[in-house]
Amino acid sequence: MARILIVDDSQSQLLGLKRIVEKMGHEIITAEDGAAGVEVAKREIPDLILMDVVMPNLNGFQATRTISREAKTSHIPIILVTTKDQETDKVWGMRQGAKAYVTKPINEAELTKVINDLLPK
């Protein structure tokens, strides 16, 4: 069982992602914006992070960059989960340190595969 941090400011999206991750048998930690996500990641050191992009305070790109460049958290794989579906968004997200990019609405099979591929073995 892995500990997965879900960072999303939408309660409905958070619940949907929790349902998928819990079905996989993993423990959930949540944060409701990018700044809180960075703090929780530093404190809890999760095995993987699902990160929304469009959020108040610190957006997902900024939070991903912060987490992936911090020595204590740089090993944690981050999956950006967002409605931003332009190729330029995906390229930018990967340049910030994300390991994968999944667009909403979520395809459960796709997200499950990406999570399984990125979790430390």
Side-chain angles (χ1 to χ4, degrees):
M1 177 199 315
R3 295 175 71 228
I4 297 179
L5 170 59
I6 303 172
V7 184
D8 201 312
D9 62 322
S10 161
Q11 283 302 311
S12 60
Q13 292 293 329
L14 203 58
L15 287 172
L17 290 168
K18 277 180 75 170
R19 185 184 55 77
I20 293 169
V21 173
E22 284 173 343
K23 192 189 292 186
M24 295 173 70
H26 300 303
E27 181 184 338
I28 310 292
I29 312 164
T30 63
E32 294 185 2
D33 66 44
V38 170
E39 291 309 310
V40 172
K42 287 180 187 178
R43 186 177 67 242
E44 300 289 334
I45 313 295
D47 298 302
L48 185 135
I49 299 171
L50 299 177
M51 178 79 69
D52 185 24
V53 170
V54 181
M55 294 183 288
N57 300 326
L58 199 64
N59 72 40
F61 291 142
Q62 295 164 320
T64 296
R65 183 171 54 241
T66 301
I67 292 166
S68 65
R69 298 204 172 132
E70 180 111 0
K72 185 176 179 182
T73 54
S74 63
H75 68 283
I76 304 169
I78 301 171
I79 302 170
L80 289 171
V81 183
T82 180
T83 55
K84 295 178 76 62
D85 62 357
Q86 299 298 307
E87 189 61 29
T88 53
D89 295 320
K90 182 176 183 179
V91 169
W92 183 246
M94 301 305 270
R95 287 184 63 194
Q96 303 315 301
K99 299 293 184 231
Y101 196 97
V102 177
T103 55
K104 298 175 183 176
I106 299 300
N107 174 318
E108 186 172 340
E110 176 190 8
L111 183 61
T112 300
K113 180 185 182 331
V114 173
I115 289 171
N116 285 332
D117 288 349
L118 289 176
L119 275 175
K121 301 295 183 252

